[in-house]
Amino acid sequence: MKHEMFFQNPVFDEIVNVTVRKGTDWLEKTKAGDSLIIRRIGDNRIIAEGIITIRETFIAHRIPKVILNLEHDPSCRDIDGLLNALKRFYPNFKSDDIVTVIMFVIIARY
């Protein structure tokens, strides 16, 4: 199955990337092996395609450092940076909210 995913700061590693999304919607609507059509927020062009490898839920402030190290956005590779970004993107976000961590690999760039 294919899914569109939008990024504010689409900086991606060549091997494995992580993105964190509030709630469990992404866990419920995806599975490992699903395709991602990646776009920048505010721009309709496809900038990359990826494949989901792992999805897991966490309480936001308890995401392990080993996972944060794979965060696609360098400013979110520590818990403070991630929580600040999530507060900008999601109204009323709190550090004890449930989030879905999505690991993916980039298979094409445009």
Side-chain angles (χ1 to χ4, degrees):
M1 184 171 243
K2 286 190 178 188
H3 308 276
E4 284 191 326
M5 187 174 275
F6 292 85
F7 290 83
Q8 181 70 38
N9 186 18
V11 176
F12 302 114
D13 188 87
E14 293 297 321
I15 300 172
V16 159
N17 296 275
V18 161
T19 187
V20 179
R21 306 295 164 122
K22 183 180 178 186
T24 60
D25 289 351
W26 280 94
L27 180 74
E28 295 164 6
K29 71 181 180 181
T30 63
K31 66 182 185 318
D34 282 0
S35 297
L36 293 175
I37 304 300
I38 298 171
R39 302 177 193 272
R40 180 187 295 270
I41 292 173
D43 187 347
N44 200 35
R45 291 176 295 147
I46 297 171
I47 58 171
E49 291 185 49
I51 301 290
I52 295 173
T53 56
I54 296 172
R55 309 124 45 255
E56 185 64 58
T57 58
F58 292 92
I59 295 172
H61 71 272
R62 293 189 179 167
I63 298 173
K65 179 67 175 149
V66 68
I67 292 174
L68 290 178
N69 289 339
L70 301 171
E71 169 60 48
H72 78 93
D73 185 339
S75 70
C76 296
R77 291 186 183 150
D78 63 57
I79 198 62
D80 291 334
L82 177 67
L83 294 176
N84 286 334
L86 291 169
K87 287 175 185 174
R88 281 194 312 273
F89 298 131
Y90 298 106
N92 304 315
F93 181 82
K94 296 180 282 320
S95 66
D96 60 350
D97 284 347
I98 299 291
V99 295
T100 300
V101 169
I102 302 145
M103 286 188 187
F104 62 98
V105 294
I106 297 295
I107 58 169
R109 294 173 191 263
Y110 304 106

